[in-house]
Amino acid sequence: MTDDPPLPPWQMDWTAEARRVFDAMPADARRLVLAARAELVTAPDPYYRGIDTDASLPHWITVRPLASTNPGGPHIADLAGGRGWMIYTFIRRHAEPQITVTDAFWA
């Protein structure tokens, strides 16, 4: 066993309500959410902290803290210019870091 911190890909889990909303989305919306998921689980830091760190994201996704007063707390991934979003937290546990989606929406 090493003391090196874990690296991506991260695990991702959904609350029951967020998963229910995701499952009810139209197919094109689910594809965008799954593409955003792929970006999040492979990012070195799913919170994209710092200046221009999210510049590598596709143009249709932006990531920001849900509350500017809590930059280490829940984040929102806005999708398709605000048509939808995923709210998630990233828990950097030593053994098993995990992203948990707590809310999902598509208009």
XYZ file of all heavy atoms in Angstrom:
846
model
N 0.842 -1.181 0.000
C 0.000 0.000 0.000
C 0.888 1.246 0.000
O 1.886 1.313 0.686
C -0.891 -0.006 1.236
C -1.837 1.151 1.251
S -3.081 0.857 2.515
C -3.454 2.511 2.896
N 0.485 2.239 -0.750
C 1.260 3.468 -0.825
C 0.500 4.602 -0.147
O -0.702 4.509 0.091
C 1.532 3.856 -2.287
O 0.360 4.410 -2.829
C 1.983 2.678 -3.112
N 1.221 5.666 0.134
C 0.582 6.849 0.705
C 0.274 7.890 -0.363
O -0.083 9.015 -0.046
C 1.480 7.466 1.784
C 1.479 6.633 3.049
O 0.463 5.963 3.301
O 2.487 6.645 3.772
N 0.443 7.513 -1.632
C 0.114 8.434 -2.711
C -1.383 8.684 -2.735
O -2.186 7.756 -2.525
C 0.537 7.856 -4.063
C 2.046 7.716 -4.173
O 2.756 8.465 -3.477
O 2.500 6.858 -4.947
N -1.784 9.938 -2.990
C -3.216 10.210 -3.052
C -3.835 9.523 -4.265
O -3.171 9.321 -5.281
C -3.288 11.730 -3.191
C -1.962 12.137 -3.722
C -0.972 11.114 -3.242
N -5.098 9.144 -4.174
C -5.767 8.505 -5.296
C -5.893 9.482 -6.479
O -5.928 10.691 -6.296
C -7.138 8.138 -4.757
C -7.194 8.600 -3.360
C -5.918 9.259 -3.002
N -5.953 8.927 -7.659
C -6.075 9.705 -8.885
C -7.351 9.309 -9.612
O -7.924 8.260 -9.351
C -4.864 9.441 -9.779
C -3.502 9.807 -9.180
C -2.391 9.310 -10.077
C -3.399 11.310 -8.969
N -7.802 10.155 -10.549
C -9.000 9.793 -11.322
C -8.753 8.522 -12.129
O -7.604 8.184 -12.358
C -9.209 10.991 -12.239
C -8.096 11.935 -12.029
C -7.220 11.410 -10.942
N -9.780 7.844 -12.556
C -11.176 8.250 -12.500
C -11.769 8.067 -11.108
O -11.466 7.110 -10.411
C -11.870 7.333 -13.507
C -11.022 6.106 -13.547
C -9.617 6.565 -13.268
N -12.626 9.022 -10.740
C -13.307 9.005 -9.456
C -14.576 8.175 -9.569
O -15.125 7.995 -10.650
C -13.683 10.436 -9.027
C -12.565 11.405 -9.147
C -12.490 12.470 -9.996
C -11.347 11.416 -8.399
N -11.305 13.132 -9.817
C -10.579 12.507 -8.847
C -10.807 10.611 -7.405
C -9.327 12.829 -8.339
C -9.559 10.928 -6.896
C -8.836 12.013 -7.344
N -15.043 7.703 -8.440
C -16.340 7.034 -8.383
C -17.429 8.109 -8.410
O -17.215 9.222 -7.948
C -16.466 6.212 -7.099
C -15.447 5.114 -6.974
C -15.589 4.092 -8.076
O -16.689 3.652 -8.398
N -14.477 3.729 -8.681
N -18.595 7.783 -8.936
C -19.722 8.714 -8.894
C -20.962 7.950 -8.457
O -21.224 6.849 -8.937
C -19.976 9.377 -10.243
C -21.134 10.383 -10.189
S -21.448 11.221 -11.757
C -20.455 12.681 -11.532
N -21.695 8.556 -7.542
C -22.934 7.976 -7.052
C -24.013 9.042 -7.153
O -23.711 10.235 -7.259
C -22.755 7.512 -5.604
C -23.844 6.554 -5.159
O -24.641 6.107 -6.020
O -23.907 6.249 -3.966
N -25.242 8.638 -7.125
C -26.386 9.542 -7.232
C -27.306 9.329 -6.035
O -27.489 8.184 -5.602
C -27.193 9.233 -8.495
C -26.458 9.404 -9.770
C -25.412 8.655 -10.232
C -26.705 10.389 -10.757
N -24.997 9.121 -11.454
C -25.778 10.173 -11.796
C -27.620 11.436 -10.869
C -25.748 10.971 -12.940
C -27.590 12.213 -12.007
C -26.654 11.989 -13.021
N -27.910 10.401 -5.526
C -28.978 10.203 -4.558
C -30.154 9.595 -5.322
O -30.236 9.704 -6.562
C -29.405 11.527 -3.896
O -29.942 12.392 -4.897
C -28.251 12.181 -3.155
N -31.062 8.972 -4.599
C -32.204 8.329 -5.253
C -33.024 9.344 -6.050
O -33.451 9.060 -7.179
C -33.073 7.626 -4.213
N -33.236 10.527 -5.503
C -34.027 11.545 -6.193
C -33.323 12.044 -7.448
O -33.937 12.182 -8.508
C -34.324 12.722 -5.257
C -35.104 13.847 -5.894
C -36.509 13.471 -6.361
O -37.031 12.423 -5.944
O -37.080 14.237 -7.160
N -32.029 12.306 -7.361
C -31.288 12.763 -8.537
C -31.301 11.692 -9.627
O -31.448 12.001 -10.813
C -29.856 13.128 -8.154
N -31.177 10.443 -9.241
C -31.204 9.354 -10.229
C -32.586 9.233 -10.874
O -32.709 8.997 -12.071
C -30.802 8.039 -9.563
C -30.689 6.892 -10.519
C -29.622 7.201 -11.545
N -29.703 6.274 -12.641
C -28.656 5.866 -13.320
N -27.455 6.311 -13.041
N -28.804 5.035 -14.306
N -33.644 9.428 -10.084
C -35.001 9.368 -10.628
C -35.194 10.468 -11.669
O -35.728 10.229 -12.747
C -36.032 9.509 -9.505
C -37.476 9.346 -9.976
C -38.481 9.734 -8.905
N -38.388 11.138 -8.521
C -38.806 12.159 -9.292
N -39.304 11.938 -10.477
N -38.700 13.402 -8.855
N -34.726 11.673 -11.367
C -34.837 12.791 -12.308
C -34.024 12.498 -13.570
O -34.497 12.704 -14.690
C -34.382 14.117 -11.651
C -34.264 15.233 -12.664
C -35.337 14.505 -10.535
N -32.803 11.996 -13.398
C -31.968 11.648 -14.550
C -32.671 10.625 -15.437
O -32.714 10.763 -16.660
C -30.612 11.113 -14.084
C -29.807 10.512 -15.198
C -29.161 11.326 -16.112
C -29.705 9.135 -15.335
C -28.420 10.777 -17.162
C -28.973 8.582 -16.364
C -28.332 9.398 -17.282
N -33.221 9.588 -14.831
C -33.888 8.533 -15.600
C -35.107 9.050 -16.363
O -35.477 8.488 -17.395
C -34.302 7.385 -14.680
C -33.106 6.578 -14.180
O -32.026 6.659 -14.796
O -33.271 5.867 -13.158
N -35.730 10.124 -15.877
C -36.921 10.683 -16.527
C -36.583 11.713 -17.614
O -37.466 12.165 -18.334
C -37.824 11.328 -15.474
N -35.306 12.075 -17.741
C -34.906 13.068 -18.752
C -35.038 12.490 -20.155
O -34.909 11.280 -20.348
C -33.442 13.479 -18.544
C -33.200 14.328 -17.345
S -31.410 14.690 -17.229
C -31.385 15.610 -15.709
N -35.246 13.369 -21.146
C -35.216 12.902 -22.539
C -33.832 12.341 -22.878
O -32.833 12.688 -22.239
C -35.505 14.156 -23.364
C -35.863 15.232 -22.409
C -35.508 14.784 -21.028
N -33.765 11.512 -23.889
C -32.521 10.833 -24.255
C -31.392 11.817 -24.552
O -30.253 11.587 -24.141
C -32.749 9.906 -25.452
N -31.680 12.919 -25.249
C -30.608 13.873 -25.573
C -30.063 14.535 -24.312
O -28.869 14.792 -24.199
C -31.050 14.916 -26.599
C -32.214 15.768 -26.130
O -33.006 15.309 -25.281
O -32.334 16.912 -26.614
N -30.914 14.791 -23.345
C -30.469 15.372 -22.074
C -29.623 14.368 -21.300
O -28.584 14.728 -20.734
C -31.667 15.805 -21.240
N -30.045 13.108 -21.267
C -29.256 12.073 -20.579
C -27.866 11.944 -21.201
O -26.879 11.774 -20.494
C -29.988 10.729 -20.593
C -31.109 10.655 -19.579
C -31.585 9.232 -19.350
N -31.847 8.499 -20.559
C -33.028 8.459 -21.200
N -34.058 9.117 -20.716
N -33.162 7.760 -22.297
N -27.781 12.043 -22.529
C -26.466 11.973 -23.188
C -25.563 13.120 -22.738
O -24.379 12.921 -22.477
C -26.626 11.984 -24.708
C -27.006 10.625 -25.276
C -26.885 10.595 -26.783
N -27.850 11.452 -27.453
C -29.100 11.108 -27.740
N -29.539 9.910 -27.407
N -29.908 11.943 -28.355
N -26.124 14.338 -22.631
C -25.321 15.474 -22.155
C -24.890 15.275 -20.711
O -23.751 15.569 -20.352
C -26.111 16.776 -22.275
C -26.110 17.449 -23.634
C -26.957 18.723 -23.590
C -24.716 17.773 -24.086
N -25.787 14.797 -19.874
C -25.445 14.556 -18.465
C -24.350 13.497 -18.372
O -23.394 13.642 -17.594
C -26.696 14.167 -17.646
C -26.317 13.672 -16.263
C -27.658 15.342 -17.549
N -24.455 12.448 -19.157
C -23.423 11.403 -19.124
C -22.092 11.928 -19.655
O -21.026 11.540 -19.155
C -23.883 10.173 -19.908
C -25.014 9.388 -19.240
C -25.491 8.254 -20.152
C -24.596 8.855 -17.885
N -22.125 12.822 -20.639
C -20.890 13.429 -21.122
C -20.281 14.322 -20.037
O -19.059 14.328 -19.840
C -21.154 14.233 -22.398
N -21.124 15.063 -19.313
C -20.631 15.884 -18.196
C -20.064 14.985 -17.106
O -19.027 15.285 -16.517
C -21.756 16.751 -17.647
N -20.719 13.872 -16.846
C -20.221 12.908 -15.856
C -18.822 12.444 -16.245
O -17.929 12.375 -15.412
C -21.157 11.710 -15.760
C -20.668 10.641 -14.820
C -21.371 9.298 -15.062
N -20.855 8.300 -14.168
C -19.716 7.622 -14.353
N -18.970 7.850 -15.398
N -19.326 6.722 -13.476
N -18.622 12.129 -17.524
C -17.317 11.676 -17.988
C -16.251 12.742 -17.750
O -15.119 12.420 -17.373
C -17.378 11.309 -19.467
N -16.602 14.011 -17.940
C -15.654 15.102 -17.679
C -15.312 15.174 -16.193
O -14.156 15.350 -15.819
C -16.234 16.443 -18.135
C -16.445 16.563 -19.625
C -15.153 16.677 -20.404
O -14.118 17.067 -19.828
O -15.169 16.366 -21.600
N -16.322 15.041 -15.335
C -16.115 15.184 -13.894
C -15.292 14.040 -13.307
O -14.400 14.273 -12.492
C -17.456 15.283 -13.168
C -18.281 16.528 -13.473
C -19.653 16.417 -12.820
C -17.567 17.779 -13.020
N -15.592 12.816 -13.694
C -14.901 11.686 -13.068
C -13.465 11.545 -13.542
O -12.675 10.847 -12.900
C -15.659 10.343 -13.243
C -17.037 10.414 -12.615
C -15.708 9.904 -14.680
N -13.091 12.191 -14.641
C -11.720 12.097 -15.128
C -10.897 13.344 -14.836
O -9.704 13.371 -15.116
C -11.695 11.822 -16.649
O -12.391 12.874 -17.321
C -12.334 10.484 -16.963
N -11.501 14.363 -14.259
C -10.780 15.605 -13.956
C -9.868 15.409 -12.750
O -10.267 14.767 -11.770
C -11.760 16.719 -13.661
N -8.664 15.958 -12.791
C -7.792 15.870 -11.609
C -8.446 16.473 -10.365
O -8.269 15.980 -9.265
C -6.551 16.664 -12.009
C -6.545 16.633 -13.503
C -7.997 16.604 -13.915
N -9.222 17.535 -10.538
C -9.982 18.146 -9.447
C -11.377 18.456 -9.982
O -11.555 19.400 -10.739
C -9.308 19.433 -8.964
C -10.032 20.071 -7.790
O -11.177 19.661 -7.479
O -9.465 20.993 -7.189
N -12.398 17.661 -9.620
C -13.736 17.864 -10.152
C -14.361 19.215 -9.796
O -15.412 19.562 -10.312
C -14.555 16.723 -9.544
C -13.558 15.714 -9.130
C -12.319 16.471 -8.783
N -13.720 19.970 -8.905
C -14.236 21.300 -8.578
C -13.624 22.373 -9.473
O -14.020 23.513 -9.420
C -13.974 21.633 -7.116
C -14.973 21.001 -6.169
C -14.774 21.072 -4.807
C -16.114 20.369 -6.612
C -15.676 20.528 -3.913
C -17.020 19.808 -5.743
C -16.798 19.892 -4.388
O -17.699 19.351 -3.507
N -12.654 22.016 -10.315
C -12.044 22.952 -11.264
C -11.674 24.258 -10.567
O -12.055 25.338 -10.977
C -12.983 23.223 -12.452
C -13.179 22.009 -13.313
C -14.220 21.128 -13.074
C -12.305 21.729 -14.348
C -14.392 19.997 -13.862
C -12.469 20.605 -15.142
C -13.521 19.750 -14.889
O -13.686 18.642 -15.654
N -10.908 24.148 -9.497
C -10.511 25.330 -8.727
C -9.425 26.112 -9.457
O -8.572 25.541 -10.112
C -9.983 24.916 -7.360
C -11.048 24.315 -6.483
C -10.446 23.994 -5.122
N -11.411 23.391 -4.266
C -11.459 22.087 -3.994
N -10.582 21.274 -4.522
N -12.372 21.618 -3.191
N -9.475 27.429 -9.299
C -8.434 28.281 -9.857
C -8.887 29.015 -11.103
O -9.988 28.821 -11.596
N -8.003 29.853 -11.584
C -8.316 30.678 -12.743
C -8.178 29.851 -14.013
O -7.147 29.233 -14.253
C -7.384 31.907 -12.791
C -7.599 32.760 -11.550
C -7.600 32.713 -14.058
C -6.600 33.872 -11.393
N -9.215 29.848 -14.819
C -9.221 29.167 -16.122
C -8.935 27.672 -16.049
O -8.530 27.067 -17.040
C -8.222 29.823 -17.086
C -8.649 31.219 -17.478
O -9.862 31.490 -17.464
O -7.769 32.037 -17.793
N -9.150 27.045 -14.914
C -8.884 25.608 -14.838
C -9.954 24.809 -15.568
O -9.719 23.663 -15.912
C -8.802 25.119 -13.380
O -9.986 25.505 -12.699
C -7.576 25.653 -12.705
N -11.120 25.416 -15.785
C -12.161 24.698 -16.524
C -12.123 25.029 -18.013
O -13.042 24.707 -18.750
C -13.542 24.950 -15.931
C -13.967 26.397 -16.001
O -13.138 27.251 -16.389
O -15.126 26.684 -15.673
N -11.042 25.642 -18.481
C -10.924 25.994 -19.899
C -10.941 24.758 -20.795
O -11.298 24.852 -21.967
C -9.653 26.798 -20.134
N -10.589 23.612 -20.248
C -10.580 22.389 -21.053
C -11.968 21.753 -21.171
O -12.134 20.796 -21.926
C -9.607 21.379 -20.455
O -10.057 20.983 -19.170
N -12.943 22.260 -20.446
C -14.293 21.710 -20.526
C -14.948 22.069 -21.861
O -14.661 23.126 -22.432
C -15.173 22.268 -19.403
C -14.917 21.727 -18.011
C -15.735 22.496 -16.986
C -15.247 20.251 -17.939
N -15.843 21.216 -22.350
C -16.595 21.585 -23.554
C -17.372 22.882 -23.311
O -17.723 23.204 -22.171
C -17.555 20.415 -23.741
C -16.975 19.292 -22.968
C -16.203 19.902 -21.842
N -17.671 23.606 -24.376
C -18.316 24.910 -24.251
C -19.699 24.852 -23.605
O -20.188 25.844 -23.080
C -18.431 25.584 -25.632
C -19.358 24.855 -26.553
N -20.704 25.104 -26.599
C -19.127 23.863 -27.444
C -21.276 24.303 -27.480
N -20.330 23.538 -28.011
N -20.330 23.715 -23.591
C -21.698 23.600 -23.080
C -21.766 23.246 -21.588
O -22.848 23.037 -21.046
C -22.478 22.576 -23.896
C -21.765 21.260 -24.025
C -20.945 20.872 -25.048
C -21.769 20.183 -23.097
N -20.439 19.618 -24.791
C -20.936 19.173 -23.606
C -22.401 19.971 -21.877
C -20.719 17.976 -22.945
C -22.181 18.778 -21.219
C -21.349 17.793 -21.759
N -20.627 23.196 -20.910
C -20.632 22.909 -19.474
C -19.764 23.924 -18.737
O -18.678 24.259 -19.179
C -20.147 21.466 -19.169
C -20.157 21.175 -17.660
C -18.791 21.213 -19.741
C -19.834 19.737 -17.294
N -20.299 24.445 -17.634
C -19.517 25.294 -16.737
C -19.680 24.751 -15.330
O -20.739 24.235 -14.967
C -19.973 26.772 -16.779
O -21.356 26.838 -16.420
C -19.769 27.381 -18.150
N -18.624 24.874 -14.548
C -18.625 24.378 -13.171
C -18.313 25.540 -12.247
O -17.397 26.308 -12.502
C -17.583 23.257 -12.989
C -17.455 22.856 -11.526
C -17.944 22.051 -13.842
N -19.108 25.665 -11.180
C -18.874 26.724 -10.202
C -19.402 26.267 -8.853
O -20.252 25.370 -8.778
C -19.546 28.019 -10.629
C -21.050 27.907 -10.750
C -21.695 29.191 -11.250
N -23.073 28.984 -11.611
C -24.089 28.909 -10.757
N -23.868 29.039 -9.472
N -25.321 28.718 -11.174
N -18.918 26.899 -7.764
C -19.458 26.562 -6.446
C -20.938 26.955 -6.377
O -21.346 27.951 -6.970
C -18.639 27.412 -5.477
C -17.454 27.876 -6.237
C -17.836 27.884 -7.680
N -21.716 26.175 -5.673
C -23.126 26.497 -5.495
C -23.273 27.785 -4.692
O -24.150 28.596 -4.956
C -23.837 25.340 -4.800
C -25.348 25.332 -4.840
C -25.864 25.349 -6.267
C -25.884 24.119 -4.119
N -22.394 27.983 -3.721
C -22.367 29.217 -2.926
C -20.933 29.736 -2.924
O -20.007 29.013 -2.563
C -22.830 28.944 -1.499
N -20.758 30.983 -3.313
C -19.405 31.538 -3.391
C -18.728 31.583 -2.024
O -17.506 31.627 -1.935
C -19.431 32.932 -4.005
O -20.191 33.809 -3.200
N -19.514 31.545 -0.955
C -18.945 31.569 0.383
C -18.455 30.195 0.833
O -17.860 30.071 1.888
C -19.988 32.083 1.401
O -21.140 31.245 1.319
C -20.361 33.534 1.114
N -18.710 29.163 0.021
C -18.318 27.805 0.370
C -17.657 27.138 -0.842
O -18.218 26.215 -1.436
C -19.544 27.009 0.835
C -19.170 25.670 1.424
O -18.003 25.357 1.626
N -20.179 24.852 1.691
N -16.450 27.584 -1.239
C -15.822 27.059 -2.453
C -15.442 25.586 -2.382
O -15.231 24.954 -3.404
C -14.589 27.935 -2.631
C -14.307 28.482 -1.281
C -15.626 28.594 -0.575
N -15.390 25.019 -1.193
C -15.091 23.595 -1.053
C -16.328 22.750 -0.886
O -16.247 21.549 -0.689
N -17.492 23.372 -0.979
C -18.757 22.666 -0.790
C -19.363 22.207 -2.106
O -18.656 22.023 -3.090
N -20.675 22.027 -2.115
C -21.344 21.561 -3.336
C -21.057 22.474 -4.519
O -20.905 23.687 -4.369
C -22.831 21.604 -2.969
C -22.865 21.579 -1.479
C -21.608 22.261 -1.020
N -20.974 21.874 -5.694
C -20.749 22.594 -6.947
C -21.893 22.295 -7.909
O -22.573 21.269 -7.787
C -19.426 22.187 -7.574
C -18.270 22.956 -7.065
N -17.964 23.072 -5.738
C -17.332 23.672 -7.721
C -16.893 23.815 -5.583
N -16.481 24.200 -6.784
N -22.063 23.180 -8.865
C -23.085 22.991 -9.886
C -22.399 22.936 -11.238
O -21.511 23.741 -11.529
C -24.160 24.095 -9.828
C -25.278 23.815 -10.823
C -23.553 25.470 -10.017
C -26.527 24.650 -10.611
N -22.781 21.962 -12.019
C -22.342 21.869 -13.406
C -23.536 22.303 -14.247
O -24.533 21.584 -14.339
C -21.923 20.445 -13.747
N -23.458 23.522 -14.794
C -24.515 24.030 -15.680
C -24.317 23.404 -17.052
O -23.210 23.393 -17.585
C -24.438 25.554 -15.800
C -24.920 26.254 -14.546
O -26.018 25.911 -14.073
O -24.195 27.130 -14.050
N -25.398 22.907 -17.629
C -25.321 22.207 -18.904
C -26.126 22.936 -19.972
O -27.230 23.419 -19.706
C -25.869 20.787 -18.748
C -25.294 19.971 -17.590
C -26.027 18.661 -17.451
C -23.815 19.757 -17.792
N -25.590 22.998 -21.152
C -26.287 23.536 -22.328
C -26.840 24.923 -22.068
O -28.015 25.195 -22.317
C -27.380 22.568 -22.782
N -25.994 25.805 -21.567
C -26.412 27.193 -21.366
C -27.495 27.371 -20.321
O -28.293 28.298 -20.401
N -27.541 26.495 -19.345
C -28.515 26.607 -18.266
C -29.781 25.800 -18.476
O -30.697 25.872 -17.660
N -29.854 25.023 -19.545
C -31.043 24.183 -19.755
C -31.147 23.086 -18.721
O -32.230 22.580 -18.435
C -30.994 23.533 -21.129
C -31.839 24.255 -22.124
C -32.037 23.473 -23.370
N -33.254 22.693 -23.310
C -33.552 21.775 -24.200
N -32.728 21.503 -25.171
N -34.686 21.112 -24.109
N -30.019 22.709 -18.171
C -30.016 21.664 -17.156
C -28.813 21.835 -16.249
O -27.951 22.679 -16.498
N -28.804 21.044 -15.175
C -27.667 21.101 -14.274
C -27.574 19.846 -13.434
O -28.524 19.059 -13.351
C -27.721 22.326 -13.365
C -28.844 22.330 -12.369
C -28.956 21.578 -11.229
C -30.027 23.114 -12.423
N -30.123 21.861 -10.575
C -30.798 22.803 -11.289
C -30.506 24.053 -13.322
C -32.032 23.404 -11.045
C -31.727 24.646 -13.064
C -32.469 24.319 -11.935
N -26.396 19.685 -12.840
C -26.150 18.653 -11.839
C -25.495 19.343 -10.663
O -24.547 20.105 -10.835
C -25.162 17.598 -12.358
C -25.643 16.778 -13.498
S -24.346 15.733 -14.267
C -23.238 15.312 -12.992
N -26.010 19.119 -9.478
C -25.360 19.607 -8.263
C -24.673 18.403 -7.630
O -25.266 17.337 -7.491
C -26.374 20.241 -7.300
C -27.001 21.476 -7.955
C -25.710 20.604 -5.973
C -28.121 22.111 -7.162
N -23.403 18.601 -7.274
C -22.631 17.472 -6.768
C -21.636 17.929 -5.712
O -21.307 19.106 -5.609
C -21.890 16.772 -7.918
C -20.812 17.610 -8.558
C -19.494 17.509 -8.153
C -21.118 18.533 -9.553
C -18.501 18.286 -8.729
C -20.138 19.313 -10.144
C -18.837 19.184 -9.725
O -17.862 19.954 -10.289
N -21.192 16.968 -4.938
C -20.108 17.197 -3.980
C -18.996 16.212 -4.300
O -19.246 15.130 -4.837
C -20.565 16.982 -2.522
O -21.103 15.669 -2.397
C -21.603 17.997 -2.105
N -17.780 16.620 -4.005
C -16.620 15.751 -4.197
C -16.004 15.521 -2.831
O -15.590 16.462 -2.164
C -15.606 16.399 -5.143
C -14.366 15.578 -5.341
C -14.439 14.283 -5.826
C -13.131 16.099 -5.041
C -13.297 13.521 -6.016
C -11.973 15.352 -5.234
C -12.061 14.059 -5.717
N -15.979 14.277 -2.426
C -15.423 13.914 -1.134
C -14.093 13.228 -1.401
O -14.043 12.143 -1.984
C -16.377 12.989 -0.362
C -17.716 13.689 -0.174
C -15.768 12.588 0.976
C -18.827 12.782 0.274
N -13.013 13.891 -1.021
C -11.672 13.377 -1.290
C -11.234 12.488 -0.126
O -10.336 12.829 0.627
C -10.701 14.529 -1.499
C -9.363 14.077 -2.036
C -8.410 15.221 -2.201
N -8.730 16.085 -3.310
C -8.386 15.846 -4.579
N -7.728 14.761 -4.888
N -8.697 16.693 -5.522
N -11.893 11.346 0.013
C -11.459 10.368 1.013
C -10.182 9.729 0.518
O -9.973 9.588 -0.687
C -12.530 9.301 1.196
C -13.833 9.862 1.696
C -14.819 8.765 1.877
N -15.152 8.198 0.582
C -16.335 7.729 0.253
N -17.302 7.747 1.117
N -16.561 7.234 -0.933
N -9.324 9.336 1.432
C -8.027 8.792 1.020
C -8.188 7.498 0.219
O -7.568 7.329 -0.827
C -7.112 8.556 2.216
C -5.751 8.102 1.779
N -4.862 8.951 1.176
C -5.167 6.884 1.806
C -3.769 8.279 0.861
N -3.927 7.029 1.246
N -8.998 6.601 0.692
C -9.093 5.300 0.023
C -9.999 5.340 -1.204
O -9.681 4.772 -2.232
C -9.591 4.252 1.001
N -11.126 6.011 -1.103
C -12.104 5.996 -2.185
C -12.734 7.362 -2.385
O -13.850 7.606 -1.930
C -13.207 4.987 -1.880
C -12.748 3.553 -1.804
C -13.900 2.626 -1.465
O -15.039 2.922 -1.853
O -13.641 1.619 -0.809
N -12.069 8.279 -3.081
C -12.702 9.567 -3.369
C -13.973 9.336 -4.188
O -14.039 8.396 -4.980
C -11.656 10.305 -4.187
C -10.384 9.607 -3.915
C -10.738 8.187 -3.626
N -14.964 10.178 -3.969
C -16.238 9.956 -4.645
C -16.945 11.260 -4.928
O -16.925 12.192 -4.120
C -17.134 9.080 -3.784
C -18.471 8.806 -4.402
C -19.251 7.792 -3.590
O -18.687 6.974 -2.895
N -20.553 7.858 -3.687
N -17.589 11.325 -6.088
C -18.471 12.422 -6.451
C -19.894 11.931 -6.189
O -20.248 10.825 -6.598
C -18.312 12.784 -7.938
C -16.901 13.269 -8.226
C -19.361 13.810 -8.355
C -16.577 13.407 -9.697
N -20.696 12.743 -5.507
C -22.092 12.390 -5.269
C -22.983 13.456 -5.881
O -22.884 14.636 -5.533
C -22.393 12.291 -3.758
O -21.521 11.315 -3.179
C -23.842 11.883 -3.520
N -23.826 13.043 -6.821
C -24.792 13.953 -7.442
C -26.014 13.989 -6.545
O -26.631 12.966 -6.257
C -25.184 13.469 -8.859
C -26.232 14.389 -9.470
C -23.952 13.387 -9.744
N -26.346 15.199 -6.065
C -27.467 15.345 -5.136
C -28.707 15.928 -5.803
O -29.799 15.842 -5.251
C -27.083 16.233 -3.951
O -26.633 17.499 -4.434
C -25.992 15.576 -3.118
N -28.540 16.530 -6.986
C -29.684 17.129 -7.683
C -29.400 17.153 -9.167
O -28.254 17.354 -9.580
C -29.924 18.552 -7.164
C -31.252 19.145 -7.606
O -32.128 18.383 -8.076
O -31.422 20.359 -7.490
N -30.414 16.944 -9.951
C -30.305 17.019 -11.398
C -31.569 17.682 -11.920
O -32.636 17.571 -11.323
C -30.149 15.623 -12.010
N -31.420 18.400 -13.040
C -32.569 19.113 -13.601
C -32.378 19.250 -15.097
O -31.260 19.413 -15.584
C -32.689 20.508 -12.978
C -33.744 21.371 -13.626
C -35.065 21.217 -13.300
C -33.388 22.308 -14.560
C -36.040 21.997 -13.898
C -34.338 23.113 -15.169
C -35.679 22.948 -14.843
N -33.477 19.193 -15.830
C -33.477 19.487 -17.264
C -34.789 20.165 -17.601
O -35.857 19.715 -17.201
C -33.314 18.219 -18.080
C -33.070 18.535 -19.515
C -33.972 18.512 -20.531
C -31.839 18.944 -20.085
N -33.369 18.888 -21.698
C -32.053 19.164 -21.457
C -30.556 19.165 -19.571
C -31.046 19.575 -22.316
C -29.566 19.573 -20.429
C -29.815 19.778 -21.786
N -34.705 21.271 -18.330
C -35.912 22.015 -18.713
C -36.349 21.636 -20.105
O -35.585 21.411 -20.974
C -35.643 23.510 -18.657
